[in-house]
Amino acid sequence: MLRTALRNVLAHKARLVMTVLAVCLGVAFVCGTLVFAESSAAAYRAAASKNFAGIAVTVTPKDPPPGSTANSDVLDDALVRKLADIPGVAAVRPSVDGSATLNAADGSPLRAGKAWANLAAAYVPNADGKDSRYPLAEGRAPADAGELAVDRGTADAGHLRIGDTVTLATDGPVMTMRLVGIVTTEDTRVTAGGTLALFDKATAQRLFTTPGHYTSIDLAGEAGTDQVTALLPADRALATSGAAQAAQQATNVDTMTRGYQKMPKIFAGVALFIGSFLIVNTFTMLVSRRTREIALLRAIGATRRQVVRSVLWEAVLVGLAASAAGFVAGLGIASVLPDLLSTAQDPLPHGPLVIGARPVMAALGVGVGITVLAAWLPSRRAAKIAPIEALRSAEQPPTPTASRLRTALGAILLVAGAGLLVSLTGAKDASDANLQNAMFGCALLVAALIALAPLLAVPVIRLGGRLTGRFGVTGRLARENALRDPRRTAATASVLMISTALVAGLAVIGNSTEQALDRQAASGLTADYVIGSRTTTTAIDPAALKRVAGTPGVKTASAVADSTLFTGGNVRAISGVDPATVDSVMRLDFVSGSLKDLAPGRIALSSSVAREQGVSTGGTVNAHIGPGNDFKPYTVVGVYQDNPIADDALGARSEVQEHSFKPGTVQRILVRTDGGAVSKAAEDRLRTATGNSPLVQVKDREELVHEAAGSMGELLTLMYGLLVIGVVISLLGIVNTLAMSVAERTREIGVLRAIGMDRAGIRRMIRLEAVTVAAFGTLLGLVGGLFGAWAVGSLAGGAMTQYSLSLPWGTLLLVCLVSLTIGVVAAAVPARRAAALSPLEAVAET
């Protein structure tokens, strides 16, 4: 039977190549993702190992209590000298590290918003006058408070040259320094997209610790942590081995690279899921074509088990071919993923591909496993062929019992899936449990459509046949050919149905969410610009408010201080505002009360918080602003509808800013311009008013909406990626089905040619059949996708009051056009092959 399987594969290799390609696509994504993850992790580890090369122990201050700087002075020159005297210590290298954000040559912040990657340090020369950690590539080391050096990547990204004046900020006022040197570094945080600024030792100590003190001390040689710990002040400093630091870095690397694997894995899962339908369809048609052959095997003594094994061996051989091709393609995907996923702000490391056992086993397991699993049902169907019955007829229509069972199963799944989705529409709660139930309901709905597709194919295609009928005899023949085997038509259309449903559903949810975020921002914000800090650890000097208010074109500038409001066991966000100006920059819809009486000791609450606390205007709430303060009663002066710009509560700015994480500072300045003017010039003027600090960002309303909808960009990327996968596999499936269909209808096509149909008519008939199948799959997919999007989207109403279903007509039209184009393109080769048949040879075929 193995030889029989091999012969069958070789005999039908042209028809099986489409199946190989479909499985190959899924295997490629799986292997490419695994190889990419292992290669990226290896590249990070290789760079990290260089960071800790030669470091035996690192000494750092222990974390002090919150709000305290008690341990900032523990690492000093005296401790450095003590550590140098430890037996086995070859060298002691003190460091001063911190964070600094720089402006590029054009004034724009360089890779801002990544405090962990915007590194700053002291250039601490050794006895030879050089710091071996930062080899100089150009210029010299910084020597005083007005000089700095940067790494080569930062200089290139910011178009900075030796002698340029660089604007930067650490955690305070803006500074300007002259660039005197460019260095190289192997620190993974810098090579992975960060920046590095180097100061002289005295300047770094003044900025990041205290004069004469360090943030860490590295020891090289044979020293152990126990020896070092014995010399450290108790409970004030910590000794960590270089090996432990490398292990921690490896853990961080695994976490860092894990996020990049999600989207390729989704693509792989979808490709394999959709491709499995193509495999089932292909093997079903092959079994149907070889009915007489299988019957002959049964007649000469082959058992049903042997017939099953023969078909499964074919699947194994096809799976092995797909696995090999997919593995090779996966290596190509792994090599380009770093470039595709990298951005200017977040580049990924490049290194040699690491091919371990896991990608190889995954290629074999996925490729062979999916193919064999998909071929199992056709093999069972082949084994049930009775020898005498099969020898009499090559056509084996499904039994009425099988059709009834499939219809009953489809109806049960439809009721269960649709019922579950409808029951969730009233929940208005986007909890994890409800979302999981919604996903399960969508899966049941898709399974129901797949099961009911043969039943739905007849009425839908007959209705659509009115359009194809306009093409005359060829159109009517195309319709009847599509209806000849509803199961085959449904299986072919199911591939396109699934991809269409995914794309349509995601497109509707994405568009509706984006529109809701836009309406939400518009309903809560009347300001034209929002000036804010780029990180949670920085703030804005309140003195900048006067400069912003005096900027030409500014009508109103209102500062906002953000902090936390503690009410019993709950922690809420509170915004400190100025009642005199807040109405000009925020749109507040008060249910009761107002802000006119807002003052220290008085707050306004959002509707949800007021309900939670059980209070209304005029009542009191026991709370405190900021951590570490005592509870006291606050009078509620008003209750407003929930507003994302205003947070959960509003208080007097004078009180809130004194209890923010940086007392005396503000976190936002809301700006209203004359006539609502928004322009690059206005943005530049506002940036200048804030001192052109790289820690401050100026955003207009459109940018805020785009930022709030940041996840929508990933959703759209996912949507179009799924569309491409669905298009490719659907194309392969329709080509495969039509090619086999043409082979089955060779005599029929010969008869049509013999009675006068020309080659153009044959080609038109095949094309119209393909378009009919594609249109049927698209219609089912749109119905299922839109229904699922309506049900899942309704859950967002609880978290996003502005949410409402909004159809992206342009995207849906594009999906329809792409689907019909698939039909036309997929029919090209089979149509040309059918038209090339000789009438006499076709009629004479046995």
Side-chain angles (χ1 to χ4, degrees), residues 37-57:
E38 293 184 4
S39 301
S40 298
Y44 274 117
R45 289 192 185 100
S49 64
K50 295 178 181 178
N51 292 347
F52 301 109
I55 297 179
V57 179

Side-chain angles (χ1 to χ4, degrees), residues 620-637:
T620 59
V621 175
N622 283 325
H624 66 83
I625 300 174
N629 297 314
D630 295 330
F631 281 91
K632 68 176 184 178
Y634 280 86
T635 302
V636 178
V637 298

Side-chain angles (χ1 to χ4, degrees), residues 509 788-797 803 805:
I509 293 174
W790 167 74
V792 174
S794 65
L795 297 178
Y803 185 92
L805 196 67

Side-chain angles (χ1 to χ4, degrees), residues 401-786:
T401 301
S403 298
R404 285 195 294 269
L405 286 175
R406 178 167 182 156
T407 302
L409 177 62
I412 293 172
L413 292 174
L414 181 64
V415 171
L420 178 59
L421 291 175
V422 171
S423 68
L424 292 172
T425 57
K428 300 294 183 182
D429 178 14
S431 63
D432 290 341
N434 281 341
L435 287 175
Q436 290 175 3
N437 289 334
M439 294 299 102
F440 181 65
C442 289
L444 291 178
L445 184 63
V446 170
L449 291 177
I450 293 171
L452 294 175
L455 181 66
L456 298 173
V458 176
V460 172
I461 292 178
R462 287 197 183 281
L463 181 63
R466 296 181 181 180
L467 296 177
T468 57
R470 295 179 179 273
F471 292 89
V473 174
T474 55
R476 290 194 293 274
L477 287 173
R479 180 192 62 193
E480 295 305 319
N481 287 333
L483 291 173
R484 176 177 298 182
D485 189 343
R487 286 192 308 169
R488 178 188 302 173
T489 298
T492 305
S494 293
V495 178
L496 191 57
M497 179 197 73
I498 295 170
S499 59
T500 302
L502 284 171
V503 172
L506 290 175
V508 171
I509 293 174
N511 186 68
S512 301
T513 303
E514 193 170 11
Q515 296 292 328
L517 289 170
D518 195 359
R519 288 191 295 270
Q520 195 172 60
S523 64
L525 182 69
T526 56
D528 301 303
Y529 286 99
V530 175
I531 302 173
S533 56
R534 292 187 179 275
T535 67
T536 57
T537 58
T538 57
I540 302 173
D541 184 354
L545 178 62
K546 292 182 179 180
R547 298 194 298 271
V548 170
T551 301
V554 172
K555 181 179 180 180
T556 306
S558 182
V560 179
D562 295 323
S563 187
T564 50
L565 181 71
F566 295 83
T567 56
N570 297 318
V571 181
R572 295 289 186 172
I574 184 170
S575 297
V577 298
D578 296 319
T581 58
V582 68
D583 288 338
S584 298
V585 294
M586 284 187 191
R587 183 178 287 111
L588 297 171
D589 188 3
F590 274 87
V591 177
S592 61
S594 68
L595 291 181
K596 67 177 182 178
D597 296 325
L598 193 66
R602 297 170 178 266
I603 59 175
L605 299 178
S606 65
S607 298
S608 58
V609 176
R611 286 194 302 270
E612 174 190 282
Q613 297 296 318
V615 297
S616 58
T617 300
T620 59
V621 175
N622 283 325
H624 66 83
I625 300 174
N629 297 314
D630 295 330
F631 281 91
K632 68 176 184 178
Y634 280 86
T635 302
V636 178
V637 298
V639 176
Y640 55 91
Q641 291 186 357
D642 289 13
N643 187 318
I645 305 299
D647 288 333
D648 301 313
L650 292 173
R653 178 165 71 89
S654 59
E655 180 179 22
V656 174
Q657 76 179 32
E658 292 305 317
H659 299 289
S660 64
F661 74 96
K662 291 192 73 175
T665 63
V666 297
Q667 283 64 52
R668 292 176 286 163
I669 299 177
L670 309 184
V671 179
R672 184 83 175 269
T673 61
D674 293 329
V678 175
S679 65
K680 182 64 169 60
E683 181 179 335
D684 290 341
R685 287 195 297 268
L686 292 175
R687 194 179 298 280
T688 301
T690 60
N692 202 29
S693 172
L695 296 177
V696 173
Q697 57 187 351
V698 180
K699 295 183 179 180
D700 59 30
R701 185 198 305 264
E702 184 177 345
E703 289 177 300
L704 288 170
V705 173
H706 181 72
E707 183 182 77
S711 58
M712 290 301 103
E714 296 181 5
L715 183 63
L716 290 176
T717 301
L718 175 64
M719 180 188 73
Y720 289 118
L722 295 176
L723 178 59
V724 170
I725 291 174
V727 165
V728 172
I729 299 182
S730 300
L731 187 65
L732 297 175
I734 296 176
V735 169
N736 218 19
T737 301
L738 288 178
M740 292 187 178
S741 180
V742 167
E744 288 180 355
R745 290 162 22 209
T746 300
R747 296 186 66 186
E748 174 189 321
I749 293 172
V751 171
L752 291 174
R753 291 295 312 282
I755 62 176
M757 182 175 286
D758 58 10
R759 291 185 175 182
I762 296 293
R763 287 195 294 269
R764 188 182 307 116
M765 178 183 70
I766 301 298
R767 290 194 189 104
L768 289 174
E769 181 181 349
V771 171
T772 299
V773 174
F776 172 61
T778 302
L779 179 61
L780 285 188
L782 286 176
V783 171
L786 293 179

